[in-house]
Amino acid sequence: MKTIEHWINGSPAAGTSPETAPVFNPATGQEQARVALASAADVDTAVTAATAAFETWSESSLTQRTQVMFAFRQLLVEHEEELGRIISAEHGKTVDDARGEITRGREVVEFACGLGDVLKGSFSDQVSRGVDVHNFRQPLGVVAGITPFNFPAMVPLWMHPIAIATGNTFILKPSERDPSAANFVAELYKRAGLPDGVFNVVHGGKDAVDAILTHSGVEAVSFVGSTPIARYVHETATAHGKRVQALGGAKNHAVVLPDADLEFAANHITAGAYGSAGERCMAVSVAVAVGAAADGLVEILERKAGEVKVGPGDVPGIEMGPLVTKASQERVENAVGTAATQGATVLVDGRGLKIDGHESGFFTGPSLLDHVTTEMDAYKEELFGPVLAVVRVDTLDEAIGVINANPYGNGTALFTGSGEAARRFQRNVKVGMIGVNVPVPVPMSYYSFGGWKDSLIGDSPIHGPEGIRFYTRPKVVTTRWPQPKQQVAAGFNFPTSS
């Protein structure tokens, strides 16, 4: 059986640990490969390689770095289909969905290609007599990314292009559930001309994570995953003197007002809820139906949930693939049963779905729950599966109150034809990313991605301007160039600009 190795210093590396973990094909339920699990010594080897590479990469020209990014971007375009199929085979999402995540990740590469303008400093002439001031930003050193299974290409692409383009070297610890995309990206970087050691991949579980969080040679850590682990990453890494980006979980609401186009809203909410089998941190998991919108919205949602085409991700026309693991399938289906016992109305029941020829796959169909309350587990828990809960309220202000009382604040959306309602909503909800008639408001690469409350631990969003800030540190330089033999008096009191 194939063993997926690490990628260290420009080539595959078996590592020192004999431990491996299974990699499944979610559509068949069969183990298709093993992935090597890194020891602390393997992480140290990667850090050593990245540290050595930093000495020269950090001194490379901005032109050289952006040329690598341009070449890397082109290779992502040329190999999009191949990478999409690699993702689909290990994650379960459809190939089209996988290609979509590659496209969104590639947008960050394109942002990194234009860093020449973003990294420009400022200059102040004659701040004092014969004195000028300017500033610029420099890379940190070796930085690391710890990323989740649900976007094995896109989420890492939110991190390493900016880190590398600003002069850092990078160590990626992807999810061991779908590790092959990371190695494929490493090969593309090498073909793009990236020097050995600048981008490294170590696979593994908690031992590898802890080794990264505590290693003295790692300057910063970026993390995307569940909130409890985000807290652990933030606390552990900051205790060891590192910068940390830690993005956690979500419970995203889509509010529908009576003046909305209900067909339009239901169509987009269905895609937002069930796309990628709901395994997205920005998935719509709660539809908040306001007043007279409720019955009509639920009727259309029920129809559309029943029309979703479920099957293997590599079959043309399929809209939703399996969940990533058997445990995920069981957890989601148990949550639907619990919702029923707690009083929710199960309008569409996705449990027990079997796909011909793939009876052992980790499939569950879309589930739609009506009359869900905020006290039910189906509302409170991040299910990370194809389950949409409908909460009914009387007013927009009540809907805003529901959202603001939720511990998460990642994304939210409002469907309406009213500009006044949209403005009130976007100003009053305590959420980091907001869509108006847009169900999944993931910002473009030149903005930053990050929620509020328990969806972002600390204060560092990812990519865009915040990504530049995170992976660099500023210097301010004050200069004086006196003429030869010119005497400049020195003062003993605190210097001023006079």
Side-chain angles (χ1 to χ4, degrees):
M1 181 168 289
K2 174 185 176 183
T3 298
I4 300 163
E5 297 183 328
H6 316 294
W7 180 278
I8 298 175
N9 205 27
S11 62
T16 61
S17 172
E19 292 189 41
T20 62
V23 178
F24 291 92
N25 182 329
T28 65
Q30 301 301 309
E31 183 179 336
Q32 60 181 332
R34 307 289 296 185
V35 60
L37 300 181
S39 64
D42 298 325
V43 171
D44 184 65
T45 299
V47 174
T48 299
T51 301
F54 178 74
E55 294 300 317
T56 52
W57 182 247
S58 61
E59 293 298 323
S60 63
S61 69
L62 183 58
T63 298
Q64 179 185 350
R65 284 180 258 143
T66 54
Q67 283 176 342
V68 169
M69 285 297 149
F70 275 110
F72 176 58
R73 184 258 178 205
Q74 184 59 34
L75 289 169
L76 284 173
V77 172
E78 294 172 3
H79 294 276
E80 183 180 280
E81 181 72 17
E82 185 178 358
L83 180 54
R85 291 190 177 277
I86 290 171
I87 294 168
S88 178
E90 292 184 350
H91 175 279
K93 66 176 65 178
T94 67
V95 173
D96 283 346
D97 192 23
R99 293 174 66 229
E101 78 158 273
I102 296 164
T103 299
R104 292 309 303 264
R106 193 174 68 232
E107 291 169 357
V108 178
V109 181
E110 292 164 357
F111 176 71
C113 289
L115 288 192
D117 183 66
V118 178
L119 287 177
K120 287 191 301 186
S122 60
F123 184 92
S124 296
D125 174 70
Q126 198 78 349
V127 298
S128 185
R129 190 177 299 274
V131 176
D132 307 322
V133 177
H134 70 277
N135 69 341
F136 60 98
R137 304 191 72 89
Q138 289 185 306
L140 304 178
V142 179
V143 298
I146 302 169
T147 56
F149 76 88
N150 59 327
F151 288 104
M154 184 184 74
V155 170
L157 282 165
W158 286 357
M159 302 173 182
H160 52 73
I162 295 176
I164 291 170
T166 51
N168 300 280
T169 54
F170 198 90
I171 298 171
L172 173 62
K173 206 301 288 183
S175 171
E176 62 275 22
R177 298 178 188 177
D178 44 11
S180 295
N183 287 31
F184 189 84
V185 166
E187 293 175 0
L188 295 186
Y189 263 133
K190 188 175 181 71
R191 290 176 56 185
L194 190 69
D196 293 345
V198 177
F199 181 76
N200 306 274
V201 180
V202 291
H203 301 290
K206 189 175 186 300
D207 289 346
V209 170
D210 286 344
I212 289 170
L213 300 182
T214 60
H215 199 293
S216 60
V218 176
E219 299 291 336
V221 176
S222 300
F223 172 84
V224 176
S226 70
T227 293
I229 305 303
R231 291 191 188 282
Y232 174 78
V233 167
H234 189 271
E235 291 169 3
T236 306
T238 54
H240 286 81
K242 307 181 193 316
R243 289 187 179 185
V244 183
Q245 289 173 323
L247 281 67
K251 197 71 178 181
N252 305 311
H253 302 69
V255 178
V256 181
L257 295 186
D259 70 341
D261 181 328
L262 297 186
E263 186 78 20
F264 175 89
N267 193 45
H268 285 276
I269 290 172
T270 298
Y274 304 130
S276 198
E279 293 174 318
R280 295 170 173 164
C281 65
M282 290 291 282
V284 178
S285 54
V286 181
V288 184
V290 179
D295 288 342
L297 176 68
V298 168
E299 179 182 350
I300 303 171
L301 286 173
E302 182 177 5
R303 169 170 52 86
K304 290 187 177 295
E307 294 172 350
V308 175
K309 299 179 179 66
V310 183
D314 60 353
V315 174
I318 292 296
E319 297 170 316
M320 191 183 102
L323 291 168
V324 68
T325 63
K326 183 69 174 176
S328 296
Q329 178 194 36
E330 292 173 348
R331 176 178 49 78
V332 169
E333 295 196 349
N334 288 338
V336 175
T338 299
T341 62
Q342 292 179 344
T345 303
V346 181
L347 294 177
V348 180
D349 192 341
R351 293 175 293 178
L353 177 67
K354 297 296 181 184
I355 303 296
D356 291 343
H358 294 77
E359 287 78 8
S360 296
F362 309 141
F363 291 96
T364 187
S367 290
L368 177 64
L369 312 176
D370 195 9
H371 301 290
V372 174
T373 69
T374 56
E375 290 76 33
M376 294 179 182
D377 291 345
Y379 176 81
K380 293 188 293 184
E381 296 176 0
E382 185 184 20
L383 300 182
F384 228 59
V387 181
L388 176 62
V390 178
V391 174
R392 297 175 179 237
V393 299
D394 294 327
T395 66
L396 173 58
D397 289 337
E398 187 179 350
I400 293 171
V402 167
I403 296 170
N404 289 349
N406 192 279
Y408 296 112
N410 209 42
T412 189
L414 175 69
F415 289 87
T416 182
S418 167
E420 184 280 325
R423 188 174 190 275
R424 181 168 22 129
F425 181 80
Q426 66 193 36
R427 287 184 58 82
N428 292 336
V429 289
K430 297 177 181 178
V431 175
M433 293 171 284
I434 300 164
V436 177
N437 298 316
V438 175
V440 183
V442 177
M444 297 298 292
S445 61
Y446 36 85
Y447 286 85
S448 296
F449 180 103
W452 286 15
K453 299 185 285 187
D454 285 355
S455 294
L456 179 67
I457 311 304
D459 61 352
S460 294
I462 203 165
H463 72 60
E466 291 291 335
I468 300 295
R469 184 199 64 79
F470 181 77
Y471 289 121
T472 60
R473 56 169 61 98
K475 278 185 176 177
V476 180
V477 182
T478 303
T479 60
R480 174 191 283 137
W481 299 100
Q483 297 178 6
K485 299 181 181 180
Q486 178 185 8
Q487 296 297 315
V488 179
F492 285 83
N493 53 342
F494 194 82
T496 68
S497 60
S498 58

